[in-house]
Amino acid sequence: SFGRIVFILPVDRRWLSYAIYLYLFAGDITQKGYEKKRSKLIRAYIPHAGGNLATSDPPHTPYLCSDMHTTTRVSIWYPDKYIYVHTEAVQAVLARHVERKVAVPMPSKRRSLVVQTSMDAYTPPDSSSGSEEEAGPGDDMSGMEHWMSRPSQLGPVHLGSTSSSSSSTQSGGSGNAGRLADSLAHSHISHLAHTHLGHTHLGQSHHQQSHLSQSHYENHSAPPDVTGYSSDSSHSHTERHHMANMGTIARNTQKYGNAERMETGDGVPVSSRVSAKIQQLVNTLKQPRRPPLREFFVDDFDELLEVQQPDPNQPRPEGAEMMPVRGEALGVVTNWPPSLEAALQRWGTISPKAPCLTSLDTAGKPLYVLTYGKLWSRSIKLAYNILHKLGSKQEPMVRPGDRVALVFPNNDPVAFMVAFYGCLLAEVVPVPIEVPLSRKDAGSQQIGFLLGSCGVTVALTSDACHKGLPKSATGEIPQFKGWPKLLWFVTESKHLSKPPRDWFPHIKDANNDTAYIEYKTCKDGSVLGVTVTRIALLTHCQALTQSCSYTEAETIVNVLDFKKDVGLWHGILTSVMNMMHVISVPYSLMKVNPLSWIQKVCQYKAKVACVKSRDMHWALVAHKDQKDINLSSLRMLLVADGSNPWSISSCDAFLNVFQTKGLRAEVICPCASSPEALTVAIRRPVEDSSQPPGRGVLSMQGLSYGVVRVDTEERLSVLTVQDVGTVTPGGLVCVVKPEGVPQLCQTDEIGELCVCSIATGTSYYGLTGMTKNTFEVYPVGSSGGLISEYAFVRTGLLGFIGPGGLVFITGKMDGLIMVSGRRHNADDIVATALAVEPMKFVYRGRIAVFSVTVLRDERIVVVAEQRPDSTEEDSFQWMSRVLQAIDSIHGVGVFCLALVPANTLPKTPLGGIHLSEIKQLYLEGGLHPCNVLMCPHTCVTNLPKPRQKQPEIGPASVMVGNLVSGKRIAQASGRDLGQTDDNDQFPAPSLVCSFINGKGTMSLLSTHQHFQFSLPVILCPVGIDLIAAFYGCLYAGCVPITVRPPHPQNISTTLPTVKMIVEVSHSACVMTTAVICKLLRSKEAMATVDIRNWPPVLDTDDLPKKKPPAFYKPTNPDGLAYLDFSVSTTGMLAGVQMSHNAVGAFCRSVKLQCELYPSREVAICLDPYCGLGFVLWCLCSVYSGHQSILIPPVELESNPALWLLAVSQLRVRDTFCSYSVMELCTKGLGLQTEALKARGLDLSRVRACVVVAEERPRMSLTHSFSKLFKDLGLHPRSVSTAFGCRVNLAICLQGTSGPDPTTVYVDMRALRHDRVRLVERGSPHSLPLMESGKILPGVRIIIANPETKGPLGDSHLGEIWVHSAHNGSGYYSGYGEEVLQSDHFNSRLSFGDTQTVWARTGYLGFLRRTELTDANGERHDALFVVGALEEAMELRGMRYHPIDIETSVIRAHKSIMECAVFPWTNLLVVVVELEGSEQEALDLVPMVTKAVLEEHYLIVGVVVVTDIGVIPINSRGEKQRMHLRDGFLQDQLDPIYVAYNM
């Protein structure tokens, strides 16, 4: 067998053999080809004893169904005995997936979240009355008949290799991917193990392409390219420098517990658990999906979304044009009453004792029997009171024709019936509505709008209901939200006045006056009122009487809601016309005893029962205990929701079980109805059972294209529908196209049913436009002529008319979801979801399916209530299997599948789910799911075409003077620095005296002979000590390195950085203060780093008081002055060498730009250990002689106003800060501006407030800061930004003179293609960018292509290169390997000016010549920084900048405090910090995924939700995304939730 061969093969051959097997599986090679390839592969390893192994049987291939649709005219299948259970098809589909071991990474959840969501004391969903989307007692009963509890053919299904124990057992909650990871860690080609995970799309005739290729076996180190677009997957993310070859220091990240380490595809060692999940996700996403759609050619600017092209092989209708079908003629019976009120009068006077309605209590005992005499007398009494006792005689509140609300609970049919007939007799229009349970009831507001539009001022209600309504402190019923002001009128007889003997209601023949208004809830949640006239009401009752063969005094059991639809038409109206006796079974009784309706049928020997399919389902679940059930009296079992796709399985199963109890097959009568058209079709109860009911086994793929295709070959992707009988008497039915002109369909085409009959609704009350579109439809034939002069009514039902005039319903317009041009029905998808694990993990009636628009196409969302007793693992497996089942059976991907805790979905007053409210909650991010699974990779197939990079144009064809490709070369320079004198090389000693005679120099000079030219590390707190120690080193001839001391409260994480700098720099000694000396020798410090192995530690507070013999004077201007060690935004620690020349030029340049004279005061709120902060604090102040005031940024955490108060009190004109300082002030002082003004804070003297940064200017923050402190005198134009980087600490600084900073708006889409296109403010995809400050004197800038090193035009985005006297000399490494990174400091252009030496900043940006003029009168060139090259992400061939995606994500949901993104093996990982309850964590996943898709056309691979403060930020306030990435992969973030998008 195949298994035996694999066992004896070496590993590489084993995988090749498996690959060939997968090709066969996917249909890419024939069986013969498979045999040939396999035998060739294993020939060398076969023992030649018998020689027959090579031709052993091929492996068993799971059966793949193909499209075997018949193209003949429609024929319907009439099986003798066929019970279709949708479950079987679903389980068969899932069996296939399990055979292929589908591995889906399970989301990680924090333990607290698991406990909170699964252990809350849930109550089972309550449903007070009927609707088809309802939970019931059957959900909690385990004693189900064999047909329901039949175990799947698979046994317990384990998805892939993640079928483990509880996910909450491990800290961080990453489940048990560890075991998977252990196996992955031992095999470089492990990602092939689950390669063929993609769903096989049933019913699609194409072959799927396998991605297994030879190259995968040869190149193990390349990360898997899950997008399938990147041309070179080995460069999926920017290369990171190794410590050895750049003199940088790798960050010391601690291992998480004792997790094994492994290498991922790109050779980065990571902890196994998280990476295993990602590896799993990558494996799943690599699977071949449906074939990619035909792609447009897309140029760099116009990113067009894919437009769905029609499938040339899609089935099309082939039948003739359908002929309208007429129901049987409505018979004229001589004794039929002229109106319904006349019928009531007749029975009330002729047979007053005859029972009309029996209501039951919750024990199932008769509560009250309403006789026809009582109904007649009480209705007359109520009619009199409505007309004469409301308002005054002169001004009655209600006149004939007015609308009145009927508000009765579902357990009081008697009071409702009296009120309804009272209104008919008074000639007022009843509007039955649900009882508002609370002021915030879902949908209650929309009901209020209906009442308002109908002009309702009076609400009739029962005594018990009136007492139960919410009341204010004064005892009045408050006005419900959106409701008009109502007078509540109780209808019990004891509250009513007796009418005078001479008063009698006027009983007319039925006419076109409105009889009643039935409310209807639309797909979007709005509520409409369908008006039914008196003639329509009477005709409908006559048609039902004829269809159902009703006779006088029959008994009918009604389980349906008696206020609307079938329950109202049969149980309240037609029953009175025929003097029938109705037994009304309330839902409160059905919840307690699901068999109650069957018991009442037996007890009363009822001839008719009106039920829904779920009532039959409940009865099946509970029937075992009952012995003496006899249903032989039933001649008609009316199934009100017979048009639903799952009703057929309930009908078949019910018949199967109860046939032995006297139930006959011909008794089951499904019907189809809608609020607008009333009863459309109904199956007649026939006496002979020779003609079985009609069945259609239809291809689901055909249905999705709106075509009827009978499918008898395979039973997986099919929908079995039953007929709903023939057209109601007196009706004419046709089928028209659902969209556009109402044109007749072909006979094998699905369309919307339209009815022409007297017995339909006539309008939507008060809405003439919508009425015209629905109630006044004139269908046309193919020739364009009208088929009838009478108007038709749209039913909202989709279907077709089969042989013999049988009507088949395949769905509803409200449940129609159009995805990529194909139709899917929400009810079908619910049925498939329910069939996966019947009732084990979710509640039957608590599943919502709807669509949301994402990226210009509809996407399917499934939301279900999870049972409280199901485990995380169970739920996740159920979700995975639902996705597979829907994908295979319907051929459509699910965008989002969410499980919410039990009893949390919004309910309608009937207890069903409120679909539009659920959709609204989903769109607002307020569902609070406890499990969520997003599948954007599967279902978003219309992304723009990935970018194919064009080869660069060579220098010969583009260089013409200063033009590159027809554009000006992007280069600019600051003003001339002028001549430098000798003093500029180094700050003058005379200016330093006040510092140097203090503390710093003595100890170093006394050991001058030992330490000259060595590198002491200075560990001093912020202040004068730092400056003294720095200059002490310079005068001793040493090269100082200033380092931030370890933080006393956080020593374990801050001390390792100090240790790395000490070790890499080979420092000769460590200079520090007594306090820090003590800290370094503390137990906590020793536990982290043993400083006994360090060079000598000198205490600067304990120095001998001797005069230095001589100062050291540098002889070589290019000699090393100091080392600047800092962490870049990408998290790399690097030491930059600064020469004496560079220091002098730097100080002079800053002095000229900012006009820093000795009389100035400069306030610095920056970290003074590196970068521009160090230069301003230690060098510029000494060089220029001005006074510097240092406010340590750390102090602002406890006192945010410190910096601004110092600036105000000391009347500072120039101040420098970081973004983190600005953010602290904006957030911390936002509500204190008035108090600060009272304290005398005045910022009107500030002329320059400069933010020092190594990133794109944060416009929103600087604008917020300017706006907030404008009232305190801060001028908006004084706020500006500076830009520097590792190779040059200050390239741009706004300074005092010169034009204001420029802001431009660029097209974000063009930017992804490295193009710069300016657009207007507010245009789509516009991105505002602010100039990063004015270029410093002595600085030249050019924009170069980072790959080819050629100069670029000013319409291109490229790397910023800088030429300046104050560039750094290179990275410092004690190992003599600086040459490897010399490219950063000594680069030359590949063509053009090839002589100038440039430093590469590693930042992308562009130059723009503005209309403004510089101080020297020339046009001003503005530099715009876009982002770091190392952080830019190459995804789908385009360059994305993290900050742009992060901005979109932060806007996505109010609870997102901060966010960071990074790529990992071609997946985009988004980390968000949650501000709020952990219960909101999962709301963020769909919102983040949708926002990034819509705005950036990118699919998010992983969403990580964490606590506030998890995203690391450096001292400049810049995010350390690479640190974050390492922390995530080593499982150090302790996330609240990690979602892996499929």
Side-chain angles (χ1 to χ4, degrees), residues 405-412 415-416 419-420 433-435 460-462 465 491 562-563:
L406 266 55
V407 186
F408 291 90
N410 293 307
N411 58 4
D412 194 355
F416 174 81
F420 193 91
I433 59 167
E434 308 306 331
V435 178
L460 307 185
T461 188
S462 67
C465 182
T491 60
F562 51 76
K563 292 194 291 298

Short mmCIF file of all heavy atoms in Angstrom, two decimals, residues 405-412 415-416 419-420 433-435 460-462 465 491 562-563:
data_model
loop_
_atom_site.label_atom_id
_atom_site.label_comp_id
_atom_site.label_asym_id
_atom_site.label_seq_id
_atom_site.Cartn_x
_atom_site.Cartn_y
_atom_site.Cartn_z
N ALA A 405 -53.99 50.38 18.18
CA ALA A 405 -53.00 49.33 18.45
C ALA A 405 -53.61 48.25 19.33
O ALA A 405 -54.34 48.56 20.29
CB ALA A 405 -51.77 49.92 19.11
N LEU A 406 -53.30 46.98 19.02
CA LEU A 406 -53.71 45.85 19.87
C LEU A 406 -52.46 45.28 20.52
O LEU A 406 -51.59 44.75 19.81
CB LEU A 406 -54.41 44.76 19.03
CG LEU A 406 -55.94 44.83 18.94
CD1 LEU A 406 -56.41 46.18 18.44
CD2 LEU A 406 -56.48 43.72 18.06
N VAL A 407 -52.34 45.42 21.85
CA VAL A 407 -51.13 44.98 22.56
C VAL A 407 -51.53 43.88 23.53
O VAL A 407 -52.00 44.16 24.64
CB VAL A 407 -50.47 46.17 23.31
CG1 VAL A 407 -49.14 45.74 23.91
CG2 VAL A 407 -50.26 47.34 22.36
N PHE A 408 -51.39 42.63 23.09
CA PHE A 408 -51.81 41.50 23.93
C PHE A 408 -50.68 40.47 23.99
O PHE A 408 -49.99 40.24 22.99
CB PHE A 408 -53.08 40.85 23.37
CG PHE A 408 -54.28 41.73 23.50
CD1 PHE A 408 -54.63 42.63 22.50
CD2 PHE A 408 -55.06 41.68 24.66
CE1 PHE A 408 -55.72 43.46 22.63
CE2 PHE A 408 -56.16 42.51 24.80
CZ PHE A 408 -56.50 43.40 23.79
N PRO A 409 -50.50 39.84 25.15
CA PRO A 409 -49.43 38.84 25.26
C PRO A 409 -49.80 37.56 24.51
O PRO A 409 -50.97 37.34 24.16
CB PRO A 409 -49.34 38.57 26.77
CG PRO A 409 -50.69 38.92 27.30
CD PRO A 409 -51.23 40.02 26.42
N ASN A 410 -48.80 36.72 24.28
CA ASN A 410 -49.02 35.53 23.46
C ASN A 410 -49.77 34.42 24.18
O ASN A 410 -50.05 33.38 23.59
CB ASN A 410 -47.66 35.01 22.96
CG ASN A 410 -47.03 36.00 22.00
OD1 ASN A 410 -47.66 36.39 21.03
ND2 ASN A 410 -45.82 36.44 22.30
N ASN A 411 -50.05 34.61 25.47
CA ASN A 411 -50.79 33.55 26.18
C ASN A 411 -52.26 33.96 26.44
O ASN A 411 -52.92 33.32 27.24
CB ASN A 411 -50.09 33.21 27.51
CG ASN A 411 -49.95 34.43 28.40
OD1 ASN A 411 -50.46 35.50 28.06
ND2 ASN A 411 -49.28 34.28 29.52
N ASP A 412 -52.71 35.04 25.77
CA ASP A 412 -54.09 35.49 26.00
C ASP A 412 -54.82 35.67 24.68
O ASP A 412 -55.15 36.79 24.27
CB ASP A 412 -54.07 36.81 26.80
CG ASP A 412 -55.44 37.15 27.37
OD1 ASP A 412 -56.40 36.41 27.07
OD2 ASP A 412 -55.55 38.15 28.08
N ALA A 415 -58.65 37.45 24.89
CA ALA A 415 -58.75 38.92 24.93
C ALA A 415 -58.42 39.52 23.57
O ALA A 415 -59.06 40.48 23.12
CB ALA A 415 -57.81 39.47 26.00
N PHE A 416 -57.42 38.93 22.89
CA PHE A 416 -57.04 39.45 21.57
C PHE A 416 -58.20 39.28 20.58
O PHE A 416 -58.52 40.20 19.81
CB PHE A 416 -55.80 38.72 21.04
CG PHE A 416 -55.44 39.09 19.63
CD1 PHE A 416 -54.73 40.25 19.37
CD2 PHE A 416 -55.84 38.31 18.55
CE1 PHE A 416 -54.42 40.62 18.06
CE2 PHE A 416 -55.54 38.67 17.24
CZ PHE A 416 -54.83 39.83 17.00
N ALA A 419 -60.91 41.77 21.20
CA ALA A 419 -60.49 43.11 20.79
C ALA A 419 -60.50 43.24 19.26
O ALA A 419 -60.94 44.27 18.72
CB ALA A 419 -59.09 43.40 21.34
N PHE A 420 -60.03 42.20 18.55
CA PHE A 420 -59.95 42.26 17.10
C PHE A 420 -61.36 42.40 16.49
O PHE A 420 -61.60 43.28 15.64
CB PHE A 420 -59.27 40.99 16.57
CG PHE A 420 -58.86 41.07 15.12
CD1 PHE A 420 -57.60 41.52 14.77
CD2 PHE A 420 -59.74 40.70 14.11
CE1 PHE A 420 -57.21 41.60 13.43
CE2 PHE A 420 -59.37 40.79 12.77
CZ PHE A 420 -58.10 41.23 12.43
N ILE A 433 -49.70 44.40 17.51
CA ILE A 433 -48.24 44.48 17.68
C ILE A 433 -47.85 43.64 18.89
O ILE A 433 -48.71 43.15 19.62
CB ILE A 433 -47.75 45.94 17.87
CG1 ILE A 433 -48.43 46.57 19.10
CG2 ILE A 433 -47.98 46.78 16.63
CD1 ILE A 433 -47.80 47.87 19.54
N GLU A 434 -46.54 43.51 19.10
CA GLU A 434 -46.05 42.73 20.25
C GLU A 434 -46.04 43.59 21.51
O GLU A 434 -45.99 44.82 21.44
CB GLU A 434 -44.63 42.23 19.98
CG GLU A 434 -44.46 41.49 18.66
CD GLU A 434 -45.43 40.35 18.50
OE1 GLU A 434 -45.84 39.77 19.51
OE2 GLU A 434 -45.79 40.04 17.35
N VAL A 435 -46.04 42.92 22.65
CA VAL A 435 -45.96 43.63 23.93
C VAL A 435 -44.53 44.15 24.10
O VAL A 435 -43.59 43.38 24.03
CB VAL A 435 -46.31 42.68 25.10
CG1 VAL A 435 -46.18 43.42 26.43
CG2 VAL A 435 -47.70 42.12 24.93
N LEU A 460 -55.24 49.17 22.81
CA LEU A 460 -56.10 48.25 23.57
C LEU A 460 -55.21 47.16 24.17
O LEU A 460 -54.34 46.63 23.49
CB LEU A 460 -57.15 47.60 22.67
CG LEU A 460 -58.04 48.54 21.84
CD1 LEU A 460 -59.10 47.73 21.09
CD2 LEU A 460 -58.71 49.59 22.73
N THR A 461 -55.46 46.83 25.44
CA THR A 461 -54.65 45.80 26.08
C THR A 461 -55.48 45.09 27.14
O THR A 461 -56.58 45.54 27.49
CB THR A 461 -53.35 46.41 26.68
OG1 THR A 461 -52.51 45.37 27.12
CG2 THR A 461 -53.66 47.35 27.83
N SER A 462 -54.94 43.99 27.66
CA SER A 462 -55.66 43.25 28.71
C SER A 462 -55.22 43.75 30.08
O SER A 462 -54.18 44.42 30.20
CB SER A 462 -55.36 41.75 28.58
OG SER A 462 -54.01 41.51 28.88
N CYS A 465 -51.81 42.31 31.10
CA CYS A 465 -50.72 42.92 30.31
C CYS A 465 -50.46 44.35 30.77
O CYS A 465 -49.32 44.78 30.89
CB CYS A 465 -51.11 42.90 28.83
SG CYS A 465 -49.83 43.55 27.75
N THR A 491 -59.48 46.15 27.97
CA THR A 491 -60.68 45.66 27.26
C THR A 491 -61.52 44.67 28.06
O THR A 491 -62.53 44.19 27.55
CB THR A 491 -60.26 44.96 25.94
OG1 THR A 491 -59.39 43.86 26.27
CG2 THR A 491 -59.53 45.91 25.02
N PHE A 562 -51.04 33.94 17.09
CA PHE A 562 -52.38 34.27 16.59
C PHE A 562 -52.51 35.73 16.17
O PHE A 562 -53.57 36.16 15.72
CB PHE A 562 -53.44 33.94 17.65
CG PHE A 562 -53.12 34.52 19.01
CD1 PHE A 562 -53.31 35.87 19.27
CD2 PHE A 562 -52.62 33.72 20.03
CE1 PHE A 562 -53.01 36.42 20.50
CE2 PHE A 562 -52.32 34.26 21.27
CZ PHE A 562 -52.52 35.61 21.51
N LYS A 563 -51.46 36.53 16.30
CA LYS A 563 -51.58 37.96 15.99
C LYS A 563 -51.24 38.29 14.55
O LYS A 563 -51.45 39.40 14.09
CB LYS A 563 -50.66 38.76 16.92
CG LYS A 563 -51.11 38.73 18.38
CD LYS A 563 -50.43 39.77 19.22
CE LYS A 563 -48.96 39.49 19.43
NZ LYS A 563 -48.70 38.23 20.13
#
